[in-house]
Amino acid sequence: MTRALALLSIGLPLALAASSGAVAQSRHNSDAPIDVASNSIELQDRANRALLTGNVRITQAEMTLTAARVTVNYTGQITEGSPQVSRLDAAGGVTVTRPQQSATSQYAVYDLNRRIITMIGRVTLRQGGNTVTGGRLSINLDTGRATIDGSGVGGGTAAPGQPGMQSSGGRVTGRFSVPKRSGTPQQ
């Protein structure tokens, strides 16, 4: 991990919270029920998955994920009459919103067992007036820590040499709001 990335991953949540006046994100309840809605749902029981397409909206506690298409992977274990969701794979205009924070990308994976969301491809993270862009964003829902790096810039991850794609080497950029100072002389 480069020094810049390490500083960004440590300082970003603090900088976003401090400059926007927001309090630190509370821990996400990954055990809350998952509500889904879409234009179409195809159940693939033998593969332990469901394919949701068209205006997909998934809500869990105070977090919402929207996308064009989501594959819901679940275990064969039945608890309280329902299979246990283990992973969500989203594609097409993915947006994840939490209180006071939103992120967009081309693709996302929500690993419910690890409680980590990974977003890839033209990632933008917004909180208040602050914006950070990069290629890949990882959000740890237990700690609230968000790490963004430049890999995947240019459309996603791919093997080296594939046209139009990069596997690494991209840059992270950002714009942070600065609080207005009262009593500062104008020039």
Side-chain angles (χ1 to χ4, degrees):
M1 181 182 302
T2 67
R3 182 175 178 196
L5 176 57
L7 291 173
L8 182 60
S9 68
I10 294 168
L12 176 61
L14 296 175
L16 289 173
S19 61
S20 69
V23 295
Q25 291 283 334
S26 62
R27 183 175 167 168
H28 174 71
N29 181 3
S30 297
D31 296 324
I34 296 173
D35 296 315
V36 301
S38 66
N39 293 349
S40 174
I41 297 177
E42 176 186 332
L43 296 175
Q44 300 172 349
D45 277 337
R46 288 186 182 168
N48 288 338
R49 67 180 174 221
L51 178 61
L52 289 69
T53 55
N55 300 311
V56 179
R57 180 180 179 87
I58 298 176
T59 305
Q60 184 183 43
E62 294 182 327
M63 183 175 69
T64 301
L65 181 147
T66 60
R69 175 184 169 128
V70 174
T71 301
V72 178
N73 295 287
Y74 51 90
T75 66
Q77 299 173 328
I78 305 294
T79 303
E80 297 178 18
S82 300
Q84 296 299 300
V85 175
S86 60
R87 178 177 161 137
L88 304 173
D89 292 274
V94 180
T95 301
V96 174
T97 56
R98 298 177 58 201
Q100 304 162 356
Q101 186 180 70
S102 69
T104 59
S105 68
Q106 293 176 317
Y107 308 98
V109 174
Y110 176 11
D111 184 333
L112 278 86
N113 296 325
R114 293 177 49 218
R115 295 182 164 115
I116 293 176
I117 297 175
T118 304
M119 301 181 76
I120 301 168
R122 292 196 280 270
V123 175
T124 301
L125 175 63
R126 290 185 176 88
Q127 184 171 348
N130 305 303
T131 303
V132 179
T133 61
R136 181 176 55 195
L137 168 66
S138 179
I139 304 168
N140 183 316
L141 296 173
D142 284 340
T143 65
R145 181 177 176 168
T147 305
I148 192 165
D149 65 35
S151 63
V153 174
T157 58
Q162 185 174 349
M165 305 290 245
Q166 285 180 254
S167 59
S168 64
R171 294 183 52 85
V172 176
T173 61
R175 175 166 281 202
F176 300 94
S177 60
V178 177
K180 302 225 185 276
R181 296 181 193 181
S182 58
T184 304
Q186 303 243 340
Q187 295 183 15

